Amino acid sequence: QVQLVESGGGSVQAGGSLRLSCEVSGRTFSRYTMAWFRQAPGKEREFVTAISWSGGTTYYADSVKGRFTISRDNAKNTVYLQMNSLKPEDTAVYYCAASGGSNLSRNRYVYNYWGQGTQVTVSS
């Protein structure tokens, strides 16, 4: 069974930074494509970014490109999301997701495993 546990959320003022972590249980973490999604109140869950199993390929939503950075440490079974220059519209619950496939997809239904989410609140 694969379990994902996010941490690092919190409250920050606009322009600030946060770093989210997602620790994944299971021996085959290095084979998973990993992604971050977010969901604001009353809105659909939306794609933020994804990273290949090797970490060599990344994919970002236009809304976060240049501000957010995804990375992974396969030795620690952990994926990270560094968020800089945060804006109030970044406020959402952030979810970590894993897929056994190799495609870096923005489609939430491609991802088999999900964390419980961590709240990020950005005030103006």
Side-chain angles (χ1 to χ4, degrees):
Q1 185 70 19
V2 178
Q3 291 187 321
L4 287 66
V5 179
E6 301 100 334
S7 60
S11 297
V12 64
Q13 289 193 328
S17 298
L18 283 174
R19 188 194 196 202
L20 306 183
S21 299
C22 173
E23 187 171 355
V24 182
S25 65
R27 296 177 295 175
T28 58
F29 171 75
S30 62
R31 297 184 182 181
Y32 288 117
T33 295
M34 299 298 299
W36 289 94
F37 286 75
R38 66 186 182 186
Q39 188 165 16
K43 293 190 176 181
E44 296 275 325
R45 190 169 300 189
E46 67 172 359
F47 172 80
V48 176
T49 180
I51 188 168
S52 62
W53 67 269
S54 69
T57 304
T58 56
Y59 177 36
Y60 294 92
D62 287 344
S63 58
V64 305
K65 202 172 294 183
R67 300 188 298 122
F68 290 12
T69 302
I70 189 171
S71 61
R72 67 190 294 162
D73 185 338
N74 287 344
K76 295 182 178 180
N77 281 15
T78 302
V79 62
Y80 304 98
L81 181 63
Q82 177 66 44
M83 304 186 294
N84 298 329
S85 302
L86 283 161
K87 304 175 181 180
E89 51 263 44
D90 294 318
T91 295
V93 177
Y94 282 71
Y95 296 91
C96 176
S99 166
S102 59
N103 291 331
L104 273 64
S105 175
R106 60 190 305 131
N107 182 350
R108 60 178 290 190
Y109 297 105
V110 167
Y111 296 88
N112 311 94
Y113 306 102
W114 292 83
Q116 82 289 350
T118 186
Q119 177 71 46
V120 171
T121 302
V122 184
S123 58
S124 57

